[in-house]
Amino acid sequence: MFAVTILGNNSAIPTTDRHPTAQVVTCNEQLLLIDCGEGTQVQMTRYKIRRSRIKHIFISHLHGDHYFGLIGLLNSLSLLGRTEPLTIYATPELEAILQLQLECAATQLKFDLHFVPLRAENAGIIVDEKDLEVRFFPVRHRIPCFGFVIEQRRKKRKIIPEQAQAYEIPAAYYSQLQEGADYQRKDGVLVKNHWVTLPPAPSKKYVYCADTIYDEELIAQMEHADLVYHETTYLHGLAQRAAERYHSTSVQAATLAARAGAKRLLIGHFSSKYTELQPFLDECRPVFENTELSVEGATFLI
């Protein structure tokens, strides 16, 4: 299972039906939270997200619509009895902010909270697990801001049952075949792994671009991604305003996705000035057809 669920799709100011940025990425049995705007934990309850399965939280930058819900979520996790460690990845200043909030409330979390500071000069891998890799990269915004590449690794080879049976390989050995091992039969015949298995399926890649001005340097990060999320704060008629505020437009996001050869584009971070979102799709799809709105509560398989 590799999917992203949208909890919030709005920029700065919440509306009655749209919330600030937050997404949950499901990778097999664990959940990753990307950004945590105001009201995120309420959205988790609404859409039945199991908060206890969150292991990593990634905060792109320190504008409030991307992290004002974080301290409330941490407090709730502690009140609910969480004991599993939790790791937050963000610019260094966030650690001091959280520490001050906890100290002022005399709050002692019941779980270990680890903090990994993100600095542009150290861009690269920050999570390296058996079936999961996460990298971060800088984007161009008014303050230090980062995007994330989340890759679900596929390492196990696929067994060809009829071939394995023809070579008289016992089923108990199949797990080792999946790891790439050859099989030595009792009669001395060495059965090569590629005779009885197929290569693993290609890894899947999700790219989250966070808040950014139009930047063609992002194409390298987005290249051939299965799904890309890119902000579209404004429709293209307000391209000048977008540039002044270090944000992007619908057409700009679609242009980058097309040039990167991405398979699908997910757009969000809509300005509160817009009540209807269909015009964003209308502008994106002529440039990049496979574009979708990041509708709150929707889950997109990767």
Side-chain angles (χ1 to χ4, degrees):
M1 176 69 169
F2 193 30
V4 57
T5 299
I6 306 302
L7 301 181
N9 64 2
N10 217 50
S11 63
I13 302 172
T15 69
T16 55
D17 59 349
R18 300 205 306 265
H19 300 74
T21 303
Q23 301 181 2
V24 168
V25 177
T26 301
C27 186
N28 296 332
E29 294 302 314
Q30 68 171 301
L31 303 182
L32 318 176
L33 178 63
I34 305 179
D35 283 335
C36 189
E38 182 182 352
T40 292
Q41 63 174 321
V42 175
Q43 291 290 84
M44 287 181 173
T45 301
R46 177 173 289 125
Y47 299 120
K48 297 179 172 55
I49 302 296
R50 295 179 59 186
R51 289 172 285 191
S52 61
R53 288 170 53 190
I54 296 173
K55 184 178 178 182
H56 304 283
I57 298 177
F58 306 90
I59 302 299
S60 62
H61 65 298
L62 295 188
H63 281 155
D65 54 326
H66 293 261
Y67 83 99
F68 278 174
L70 182 57
I71 189 63
L73 174 62
L74 297 178
N75 188 66
S76 293
L77 290 174
S78 186
L79 291 173
L80 290 169
R82 182 190 179 101
T83 57
E84 293 296 314
L86 181 65
T87 304
I88 296 175
Y89 306 80
T91 53
E93 296 81 1
L94 182 57
E95 184 174 22
I97 292 171
L98 292 175
Q99 206 54 50
L100 179 61
Q101 289 174 313
L102 293 171
E103 288 175 2
C104 288
T107 298
Q108 184 69 44
L109 298 178
K110 296 177 182 177
F111 56 90
D112 290 334
L113 183 63
H114 303 297
F115 192 90
V116 176
L118 304 183
R119 298 180 175 89
E121 61 269 24
N122 296 328
I125 297 174
I126 45 177
V127 177
D128 188 2
E129 298 179 352
K130 182 178 179 181
D131 58 357
L132 173 68
E133 179 182 287
V134 182
R135 306 188 300 276
F136 79 102
F137 57 92
V139 300
R140 292 177 59 200
H141 197 41
R142 293 193 297 109
I143 62 174
C145 186
F146 300 100
F148 304 98
V149 178
I150 301 175
E151 193 164 351
Q152 184 190 49
R153 294 169 171 168
R154 302 286 187 88
K155 289 189 172 182
K156 291 187 177 181
R157 297 182 66 84
K158 183 177 180 180
I159 294 171
I160 309 171
E162 58 272 20
Q163 288 292 93
Q165 292 166 13
Y167 282 104
E168 301 177 353
I169 301 175
Y173 196 80
Y174 283 8
S175 60
Q176 290 166 267
L177 292 178
Q178 288 179 308
E179 300 295 332
D182 297 331
Y183 177 68
Q184 182 74 58
R185 292 197 331 192
K186 292 180 180 180
D187 61 5
V189 173
L190 179 65
V191 180
K192 294 291 187 178
N193 186 274
H194 67 271
W195 296 350
V196 295
T197 69
L198 296 172
S203 296
K204 297 280 189 178
K205 183 167 77 170
Y206 175 55
V207 181
Y208 177 90
C209 286
D211 288 14
T212 181
I213 197 170
Y214 177 77
D215 183 6
E216 294 183 354
E217 291 187 8
L218 296 180
I219 292 173
Q221 302 294 340
M222 299 163 61
E223 195 169 22
H224 305 307
D226 296 276
L227 180 63
V228 169
Y229 168 85
H230 195 290
E231 69 127 291
T232 51
T233 306
Y234 299 106
L235 293 172
H236 201 60
L238 293 180
Q240 183 60 39
R241 181 185 297 185
E244 292 170 354
R245 299 183 179 183
Y246 280 78
H247 285 297
S248 297
T249 72
S250 50
V251 171
Q252 290 171 343
T255 299
L256 291 178
R259 293 189 59 186
K263 295 178 183 176
R264 295 161 66 203
L265 172 65
L266 189 59
I267 56 173
H269 199 265
F270 309 110
S271 170
S272 298
K273 75 185 298 297
Y274 300 106
T275 57
E276 297 295 329
L277 300 182
Q278 182 62 37
F280 284 89
L281 277 186
D282 295 340
E283 289 195 345
C284 284
R285 284 181 169 167
V287 181
F288 187 80
E289 183 176 1
N290 203 3
T291 301
E292 299 180 69
L293 294 171
S294 57
V295 178
E296 292 185 5
T299 295
F300 300 87
L301 297 178
I302 301 169

